[in-house]
C-alpha cells in the first residue's frame, strides 16, 4: 500500500490528533485536535511533512499524492456543499505551511485559492455583493503573483510592483484609500496584475483552480528552503530534514451580510482574570476588519444580545478549549450565515494579576491541576507583584509625547522617579532632606553604596547586567538601568546629554523604568506593589489586599512542587529579613566586603591595606573584628537557624581606596602617612587586569590574618547567638579557588581560628568550610577540591567570564553586537551558557559528588535567579539556587516549574 | 613459611636485583645491582619496605626479623672476616634509609654502629692508630645520640648540645680545629657525650652493639614519619603506605695506612667528555677527607702509578658501570689495605659539551643506542650551544666580589653586558653610535620593540615569564631578566636603586645573566656560541668548529626519533630564517600586530583606530595593506613552502596608542584632529580588564574590515610568491574564539576576501582557516568549533590565564608566593598545568578530532618550548609544537625524548 500523505480535518471525520505534530506539523495537529474535541473548524486537510521530504529529495510530489488530494478535496466540498472551481457555489481554499515547531512568518501562505474570472462571479453571488468578492480576488492574484510566481521588487529600493499598480489606479480614480475603490476598480486591478505578471515573469496567470492549488502547495513546500527559513533554523537548531506540512483549508466569510461576522475573544478577561468571554466583534466583516480600526468593533457582550445562539456556541467552544488546553485561550472566530467557525486558538497573553487569578480559579474549577497552574505563570511575571510600578496611562502619554530620551539595560525592574544627582554624597544629602533622587553615575563603585541606598533609582552610563550597579541595585531591590550608552555624563557641568540632544541638569526630574530600561524626562507617579506593602512595609493588612491571598496560596503550591532550595544573596540583616519574608531558606552569598564601607570601617580597612607590615595589618583588622562580628550576629538572628554562606574577602584591595587626588590627600592625613607613600602604595596595588589579579582566596593566602579575622568574627558571632538561644548554621566560603591547595590553606586558617574562639568561649558551633567554583580549573579538578570542601557554590558570573574570556565590565559593546548579529543567542551573563559554562558545572557536580557524596552544591551567581538557569540547576542536581531577595519568589516558581517539567520527562 | 624480610648483598651471594626497588627501596636495589654486575661493594643486607610497613602497623618488628638479621649478619662477618662486637676484629656497620624513590636527606642514617669502649680498641689496632678509631667512635656516639636518642637543641636558638661540648673541650685545649684534638681528647668527648645523654635524656648510652643496631633500624624506620619526610611526600605525591627499607652495610676504612685510601671519580671527563677516568684521591684517608679540602688530593692519574692494580680494578669497575648504566657515572671509592670498594655510583652531572661528546662517543662505542644517547641529554642544556656566555672565571670573581646586586626571573637565557639606558629611543640611538646597551624598563610595551632589538639585553622591574618583555625577548633571542623586584627604577633621575643600596645610573655598565636571572655591576666579557657563529652569523666554518659536527649529528638522531613537528613563533623574515636554520618546520604563530609598529605604519594604525567611521577605518587599513603584504611575502620566502600560521589582529586597540600627554598631543597633530577628541576616543577604549575585553576575534567581528584587509594581504602575498615559483602554505588563525559562531563569522570574511583576491589575480592558492584554542569554552565546545576549523592551535598562555583566573601580568607576586609555599608545585605559565589546562587540551583534542579526524592540532603558547609540556603534547597526540626560534633545538630533543619514553611505555 502507498504511504498515506494526506489527513483530513473537519467536523466528524478528522484523521489526525494533537500527538501527530511530527507528521502533520504543529498547525495541522492543532487543527485536527480542535475538530476532535468538537470545535467547529473550517474543513480541510493536511499534506504531511513526509510528502515535503519526498518533494525535496525527488524534486516532485509523491505519485499517489494527487489522487489523495482529490479524495480529500471531495470531502471538504461535501462538508460545505461548495465545489472547488464551481461557478455557482465556488469553494476557495488557503494553503499554509506548518512545521513541527512554530517558525512564525518564515514560510509562505496563499489565501483565496480557486478564484478566477468565472468563480469570482459565483462568490459575488454568495456574498450578495461583488465588491468583497473582487477584493478577495485581487488579494489572491496579488498574493499568488508574489509568493508563487515570484513577482517581487527587483532591488531593495524598488517599490512592490502590485502596490505600484494600486497606487496608479487610486491616483487615476482620485481616491486615497484602498476601501474607496469600487468593485469595477478592483476588477481592473486584477487585470493589471495579471498583465504585469505576464510582462515581467513571462507566464500566464493560472486560471485553473487546480493549477493554482498545486502551485501554492509547491511554493509552501519550497519555502522551507528560503534563506530566511534556513537562517531561522540555524539559529534555533531546527534540523533541515524535518520539512514542513501544507495545510489546505476552506475559506469562510464573515462578510456575507448581517448574519455573518468576525471577532476575537479571550476565554477570560486577560487583564483581571475574571471569568467569562472577553473580546469584540463586527457584523458583516472579515477578521482583518476587526483589528484594522476602520470600523469600531462592539464588545462581545453585544453578541449575546444580537446573536444569542452564536454567542452560546462561542461560549461552549471557549469552555471546551479551556478544558482541553487547560489554559486561557485567545481565539479568532467567524460566523458565516449563522454558522460559527473557529479559525485559531492559542494560549492567551495576560497580566500577572490575571495569570494569578486564572490559575487559582482554574484549579478551583477543576480545569487544571496545581502543577498545570504553576506552569501557566511566567516566573518573571511575579516581579509585577513586588516592584513599584508607574501609572500605566500616565506613562503611555509620556511615551507618546516623546519623553523617552534614552534606553539602557533593564538591570533592576520597577519604576522610579526623582531629581537627578550625580554623586553618592548628594544622593544621601538630598534624600535626607526629603527629596526623591535618581543617582546618575558613569559607573558605580562600592564607595557609592550609601548613596545608592538613598536613591529611588540608579542610572549608569557604563556596565553590564552584572556590573557593580546592577548587582548591588538588584540586591537592594532598587530600580536600576545600567550601560545606558545613549547618555553622556559630564560631572563637571553636573549634567548629562541624551543622544537626541536633551540636556538634563542636576535637580531635573526624570523617571526610570527598570523593567524596560527606559529613561523618561519628567517625574511619573509610582506606587509600591500590594505584596510589598503587605509583606515588607506592613502598611496593608493581608485581608485588605486582593492579591495577597492568591499570591500566598500560589507560592505555597510552588514550594510543594519544587525540589531545589531557594536561598538569597544578602549582606545585611534588613536584606536578609526581606528575603526570608519572600521565602528564602538560607543565605547563599553574604559578601563581607560591603560591610567594610559603612561608617568608620572604611578607615580601618584602609589602614589595613596601607599597613607597612603584618603587625600593622593585624592592628587594623582587630579594629574591624568587633564590627564584623556585630554584622554577623544581626544576620544570624535574621536568618534564625537557616544556613548562612559567608564569603571571605574577595575584591582587590584597591577597590577600598579612594581615587581622587583630594581624597587621597585626606586619607593620607587620616592615616598619618605622607601622601607620597600612600600614592606609591596605591601604585603597587594597581593591576592591569584586576579581575584576574590579587583577589579572592589569593588575598587570604598571602595575608592569612584577613581570613583569620573574618573566621574569628563569624565564629564569635555564632557563639554569641548560640548563647542567646539562636540557632546558627554558618558556612564559610573561600572565593576564587583554582587549586585544591588554595582551599586547603584557607581551610586550615579557618579551622585554627574557629578552634581558638570555641576553646576560649567554651561553646562549640557546627560550621562548614566550602568554596566557590568560579574558575574553570576548579570545576575541572572538582574531584580534588571536593575532598576538602563541605560545599560548592557556583559563581557563574566569574565562571562565565573565565570560560569565555569576557570581562563583564568590558564586554558590553561587543556582547550587544554579538546578540544583535546572532553570534550568541543570549547574553551569557543573563542566561547561563549551557554548552560551555553548564558543561563545566556538570563536570564539577559529577567529580565533586564522586569525591564526597554528601557535598552540598548551590549557585550564587546572578544566574541563580534566571528561570532557564534554574531549570538547568534542577537538572544537574544542585541542592539550591541563591538569588537577590526580590527574585526569591521568581526562583521559587521557576524551581517548581523545573521539577514539574522534569517529572513530565 | 615466614615472609622473607632480609636480602643479602655482597660478593657472589646477592639476593636482590635492580628491579626489586619496591621491596628493597632504590638504594637497596642499587647495591644489589652493583654487586650483581661484579662491582666490589662492602657487603651488607637490606631489610625490606614490607618489614617497615609491618612495623608501622604493629608498633614492633616482625617476629622472624631478628633471626633473619642474625643469619645475614653472619654472612657479612664471614665475607669480611670481622665480627660484630668483637674486640679483636670488630665489624662496624651503617644503617641507611631507602624508599622506592629517592627522598634526599629526608630520613635518618647512622654510621659506625658497633663501637664501644672495648671494640674501639680493636678498631684502633686494625687502623694502626688510635686517633681515627676514636674519631669514628665519637662521631658514632654523636650521631646515635642525636638520631636515635633524640638529644637535640631544645629550641631553634639553642646550639647543638654535642657541638657545645666540642667547643668547650677545644677551648680547654686551646685549639681551634677539630683535627687538632688528640685521641685522648676524643676519648674524653665520648665520655662527655654519654654523660650529656644520660643527664638530658635519662638513658644510658647503649654499649651493646646489637642494641645499637636495633635502635638504629628502629630510628630509620620511624624517620619515614618525621614531619620533614611527611611534607616531602605530600609535595611529591608519594604514598604514605610505601614505607622505607633499611640498608645495613659494613663500614670500610680508607685510613688504615698507605695501602688504603679514598677518592671520587667520573668515568669520563664531565667538562669535556674525554674518555678515561677523571677524579682525585687521597691515600690513608676517608671519603670525607677528600672533599673537606684540608689535604690536597692527587689527580686520579697518580693512582695509576702509585697503586696500578687498584687503578686497573677501578677502571674495570668504571667500564662495567658505564656498560651497565649506559651513562657517565660519578663514583665514590675506598681501598682498604689494597682491597677496592665502591661506595656509591650515580649518573654524573656534566657540561652540555661533555654531554654531547659522551653521547656521541658512547653510541660509537656501542655502549648506548641512539635513543639512550638522546635521553642522556637534558634538553635545556642545548641552550648552551646557542646563547652567548660569560667568561665563567671572570663571572666567578665578580660573584665573589659581591657584584650581584639583584635577581629576577631568567626569562631569556644567555649573557649580556652593556651600558644602562632607560628608554627604547636611547637604546636605539646609543646602539647606532656603537654602544652596547642594556635596556632597563619598569615593563616593556610594543612601542619598545625597536629599542629591545637594539639592546644586548633587557631588564624589567615587573612582569612574569610570559610578560611582553619575556615573550618578545625570547623570540628575538635576547638576553632577558624580568620581574626583577630587587630594583626600583626612577625614570626621572635616570637611575635605578638595587635592594642592597647600589645606585646604577644611565650609562653605568652592568651585566645580565639571563640563564640565572642575576644582575651584576660592571661589564663582564661575553662571547657568542660556536653553533650560532656557524649557523647564523656564518663567521665560523663548520669544519673549524669542534661542536658543530657532533651537534648536527645528535640533532639528526633527535629528528629521526620524534613524531611531533617542531615549528616556531616568528613575526619577521629574519626570525623565520634563524628558526629554519635551527630546524623549524613551519611557523606556528606569526603575530601580525608587531608588524604595525615598524616605521610609519603605527601612524596608519592609529588613524584606523581613531577613525570616526568605517570609511575612515578602511582608508587607513588600505594604507597598511601593501606593507602587510610585503611582510608576508618576506616570511613566505624565508619559509620556502613550510606552513605559516598567521594570526589575525589580537591585542586591544589601545595598545597601539601612546600614553604620555605630550605624545598624545603630537599624535593628534599628525592625525589632524583635536587632542580632546583623541583623548576622548582613548577614554572610550579604556578597559578595566583589557585581557578579557575587546580583542582577538572580537575586533575582527566588530570591524570586519580589519580581518578583510589582513586576509587580502596574506592571500595577495601568497599569490605573489606562487607567481615567483615560491611554494606557500598560509594558515589563517582566528584568535580568542569562544563560540563556533565567532569562527564561522571570521571564516566567511576570510573566504570572501581570499576568493576576491584569487579571482582578481587569476591564481589559486590553498590556504587553511583555523583557530586558537585559548579560552576554556573553546576547548569544551571543540566538537562544534572543529566542524568549521581546519586546524587548532593551543594558546596555552591565555588558556592558563582563563582556566586559573590568573592574569600573567598581575600574578607575579602571588604566584611566587604560591610556589614558595607549595600551593602550586610550579608556575603554570612555565610548565603546563596538566590536571587543569591539560585536561582542557585533552577534551579539545578528543572533541575536535571527533568532529574532524584530519584536524591539524598544535600548540603555540610559550609552553610549546617547555620539555615537560612537549612530552604531554606528544602524549595527547598533537601534530606539532611551536616555540621561539632559539628554543627550536630544545624542542626537537624534547619531542624525541617524549617519543622514546612513550614507546618504552
Amino acid at each position: 500500500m502507498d504511504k498515506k500523505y494526506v489527513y483530513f480535518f473537519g467536523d466528524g471525520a478528522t484523521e489526525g490528533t494533537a500527538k501527530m505534530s511530527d507528521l502533520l506539523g504543529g498547525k495541522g495537529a492543532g487543527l485536527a485536535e480542535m475538530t476532535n474535541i468538537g470545535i467547529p473548524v473550517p474543513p480541510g486537510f493536511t499534506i504531511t511533512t513526509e510528502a515535503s521530504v519526498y518533494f525535496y529529495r525527488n524534486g516532485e510530489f509523491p505519485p499517489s499524492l494527487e489522487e489523495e488530494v482529490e479524495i480529500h478535496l471531495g470531502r471538504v466540498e461535501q462538508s460545505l456543499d461548495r465545489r472547488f472551481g464551481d461557478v455557482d457555489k465556488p469553494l476557495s481554499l488557503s494553503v499554509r505551511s506548518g512545521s513541527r515547531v512554530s517558525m512564525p512568518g518564515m514560510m509562505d501562505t496563499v489565501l483565496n485559492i480557486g478564484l478566477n474570472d468565472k468563480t469570482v462571479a459565483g462568490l459575488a453571488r454568495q456574498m450578495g455583493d461583488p465588491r468583497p468578492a473582487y477584493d478577495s480576488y485581487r488579494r489572491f492574484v496579488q498574493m499568488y503573483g508574489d509568493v508563487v510566481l515570484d513577482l517581487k521588487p527587483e532591488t531593495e529600493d524598488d517599490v512592490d510592483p502590485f502596490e505600484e499598480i494600486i497606487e496608479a489606479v487610486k491616483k487615476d480614480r482620485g481616491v486615497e484609500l484602498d476601501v474607496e475603490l469600487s468593485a469595477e476598480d478592483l476588477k481592473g486591478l486584477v487585470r493589471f496584475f495579471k498583465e504585469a505578471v505576464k510582462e515581467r515573469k513571462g507566464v500566464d496567470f493560472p486560471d485553473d483552480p487546480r493549477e493554482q492549488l498545486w502551485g501554492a502547495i509547491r511554493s509552501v513546500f519550497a519555502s522551507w528552503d528560503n534563506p530566511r527559513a534556513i537562517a531561522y533554523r540555524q539559529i534555533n537548531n531546527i534540523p533541515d530534514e524535518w520539512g514542513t506540512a501544507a495545510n489546505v483549508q476552506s475559506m469562510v466569510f464573515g462578510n456575507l451580510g448581517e448574519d455573518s461576522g468576525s471577532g476575537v475573544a479571550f476565554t477570560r478577561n486577560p487583564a483581571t482574570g475574571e471569568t467569562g468571554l472577553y473580546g469584540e466583534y463586527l457584523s458583516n466583516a472579515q477578521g482583518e476588519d476587526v483589528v484594522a480600526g476602520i470600523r469600531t468593533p462592539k464588545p462581545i457582550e453585544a453578541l449575546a444580545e444580537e446573536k444569542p445562539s452564536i454567542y452560546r456556541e462561542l461560549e461552549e467552544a471557549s469552555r471546551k478549549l479551556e478544558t482541553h488546553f487547560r489554559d486561557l485561550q485567545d481565539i479568532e472566530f467567524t460566523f458565516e450565515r449563522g454558522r460559527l467557525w473557529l479559525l485559531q486558538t492559542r494560549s492567551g497573553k495576560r497580566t500577572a494579576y490575571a495569570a494569578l487569578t486564572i490559575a487559582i480559579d482554574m484549579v478551583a474549577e477543576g480545569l487544571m491541576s496545581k502543577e498545570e497552574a504553576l506552569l501557566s505563570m511566567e516566573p518573571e511575571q511575579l516581579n509585577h507583584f513586588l516592584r513599584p510600578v508607574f501609572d500605566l496611562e500616565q506613562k503611555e502619554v509620556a511615551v507618546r509625547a516623546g519623553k523617552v530620551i534614552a534606553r539602557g539595560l533593564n538591570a533592576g525592574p520597577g519604576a522610579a522617579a526623582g531629581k537627578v544627582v550625580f554623586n553618592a554624597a548628594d544622593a544621601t544629602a538630598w534624600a535626607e532632606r526629603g527629596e526623591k533622587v535618581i543617582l546618575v553615575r558613569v559607573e558605580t563603585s562600592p564607595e557609592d553604596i550609601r548613596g545608592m541606598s538613598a536613591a529611588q533609582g540608579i542610572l549608569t552610563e557604563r556596565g553590564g547586567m552584572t556590573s557593580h550597579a546592577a548587582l548591588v541595585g538588584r540586591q537592594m531591590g532598587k530600580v536600576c538601568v545600567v550601560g545606558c550608552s545613549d547618555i553622556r555624563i559630564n560631572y563637571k557641568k553636573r549634567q548629562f546629554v541624551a543622544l537626541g540632544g536633551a540636556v538634563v541638569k542636576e535637580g531635573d526630574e526624570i523617571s526610570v523604568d527598570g523593567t524596560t530600561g527606559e529613561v523618561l524626562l519628567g517625574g511619573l507617579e509610582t506606587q509600591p506593589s500590594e505584596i510589598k506593602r503587605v509583606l515588607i512595609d506592613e502598611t496593608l493588612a493581608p485581608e485588605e489586599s486582593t492579591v495577597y491571598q492568591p499570591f500566598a496560596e500560589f507560592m505555597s503550591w510552588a514550594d510543594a512542587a519544587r525540589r531545589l532550595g531557594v536561598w538569597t544573596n544578602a549582606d545585611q540583616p534588613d536584606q536578609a529579613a526581606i528575603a526570608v519574608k519572600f521565602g528564602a531558606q538560607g543565605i547563599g552569598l553574604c559578601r563581607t566586603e560591603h560591610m567594610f564601607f559603612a561608617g568608620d570601617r572604611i578607615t580601618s580597612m584602609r589602614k589595613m591595606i596601607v599597613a607597612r607590615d603584618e603587625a600593622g595589618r593585624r592592628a587594623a583588622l582587630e579594629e574591624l573584628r568587633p564590627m564584623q562580628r556585630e554584622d554577623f550576629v544581626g544576620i544570624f538572628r535574621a536568618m534564625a537557624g537557616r544556613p548562612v554562606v559567608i564569603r571571605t574577602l574577595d575584591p582587590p584591595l584597591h577597590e577600598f581606596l579612594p581615587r581622587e587626588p583630594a581624597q587621597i590627600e585626606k586619607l593620607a592625613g587620616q592615616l598619618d602617612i605622607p601622601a607620597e607613600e600612600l600614592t606609591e602604595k596605591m601604585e603597587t596595588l594597581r593591576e592591569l587586569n584586576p579581575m584576574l589579579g590579587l583577589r579572592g582566596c589569593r588575598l587570604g593566602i598571602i595575608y592569612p590574618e584577613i581570613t583569620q579575622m573574618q573566621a574569628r568574627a563569624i565564629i564569635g558571632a555564632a557563639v554569641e547567638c548560640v548563647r542567646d538561644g539562636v540557632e546558627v548554621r554558618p558556612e564559610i566560603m573561600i572565593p576564587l579557588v583554582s587549586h585544591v591547595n588554595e582551599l586547603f590553606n584557607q581551610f586550615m586558617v579557618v579551622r585554627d581560628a574557629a578552634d581558638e574562639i570555641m576553646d576560649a568561649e567554651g561553646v562549640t558551633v557546627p560550621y562548614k568550610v566550602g568554596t566557590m567554583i568560579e574558575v574553570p580549573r576548579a570545576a575541572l579538578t572538582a574531584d580534588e577540591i571536593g575532598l576538602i570542601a563541605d560545599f560548592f557554590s557556583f559563581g557563574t558570573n566569574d565562571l562565565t567570564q573565565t570560560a569565555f574570556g569576557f570581562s563583564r565590565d568590558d564586554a558590553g559593546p561587543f556582547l550587544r553586537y554579538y546578540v544583535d548579529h546572532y553570534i550568541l543567542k543570549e547574553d551569557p551573563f543573563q542566561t547561563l551558557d549551557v554548552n560551555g559554562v553548564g558543561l563545566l558545572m556538570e563536570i564539577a557536580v559529577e567529580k565533586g559528588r564522586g569525591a564526597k557524596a554528601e557535598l552540598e552544591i548551590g549557585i550564587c551567581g546572578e544566574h541563580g535567579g534566571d528561570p532557564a538557569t534554574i531549570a538547568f540547576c534542577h537538572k544537574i542536581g544542585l541542592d539550591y539556587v541563591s538569588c537577590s531577595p526580590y527574585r526569591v519568589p521568581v526562583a521559587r516558581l521557576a524551581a517548581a516549574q523545573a521539577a514539574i517539567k522534569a517529572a513530565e520527562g
Side-chain angles (χ1 to χ4, degrees), chain A residues 631-662:
Chain A
D631 293 329
F632 296 131
V633 167
I635 287 174
F636 289 146
R637 286 186 197 279
M639 294 309 289
R642 294 177 184 84
V644 178
V645 177
I646 298 164
R647 182 173 71 184
T648 55
L649 194 68
D650 183 54
L653 296 180
H654 60 72
E655 284 197 9
F656 297 96
L657 297 177
R659 297 170 190 199
E660 308 298 325

Side-chain angles (χ1 to χ4, degrees), chain A residues 545-582:
Chain A
S545 164
T546 52
V547 191
Y548 177 72
Q549 265 319 324
F551 176 81
E553 184 169 10
F554 187 79
M555 293 313 297
S556 75
W557 300 346
D559 292 341
R562 67 189 162 93
R563 181 190 59 69
L564 271 176
V566 176
W567 298 13
T568 194
N569 299 350
D571 310 338
Q572 291 165 15
D574 59 337
Q575 289 174 1
I578 289 173
V580 168
K581 285 179 178 167
F582 283 152

Side-chain angles (χ1 to χ4, degrees), chain A residues 773-794:
Chain A
I773 300 288
E774 53 184 338
V775 300
R777 196 183 184 285
L780 293 163
T781 61
D783 46 348
E784 297 172 5
I785 294 172
L787 293 173
I788 306 292
D790 295 323
F791 63 89
F792 283 176
S793 180
F794 287 107

Side-chain angles (χ1 to χ4, degrees), chain A residues 37 39-40 265-268 275-278 311-329 331 340 342 345 362 367:
Chain A
I37 63 169
I39 303 295
F266 288 86
T267 53
R268 303 185 185 219
T275 50
L277 281 172
Y278 177 89
Y311 187 81
R312 267 198 309 279
E313 264 189 82
L314 193 60
E315 269 193 317
E316 192 189 341
S318 159
R319 194 187 41 74
K320 272 187 189 162
L321 286 169
E322 275 200 348
T323 309
H324 188 72
F325 291 108
R326 303 171 175 222
D327 198 6
L328 169 73
Q329 296 293 300
I331 58 183
L340 176 72
L342 261 65
T345 189
M362 283 195 168
L367 272 182

Side-chain angles (χ1 to χ4, degrees), chain A residues 7-30:
Chain A
Y7 286 73
F8 186 73
F9 57 84
D11 214 20
T14 305
E15 296 174 322
T17 72
K19 299 194 170 158
M20 292 167 72
S21 62
D22 283 6
L23 191 64
L24 304 181
K27 189 190 295 282

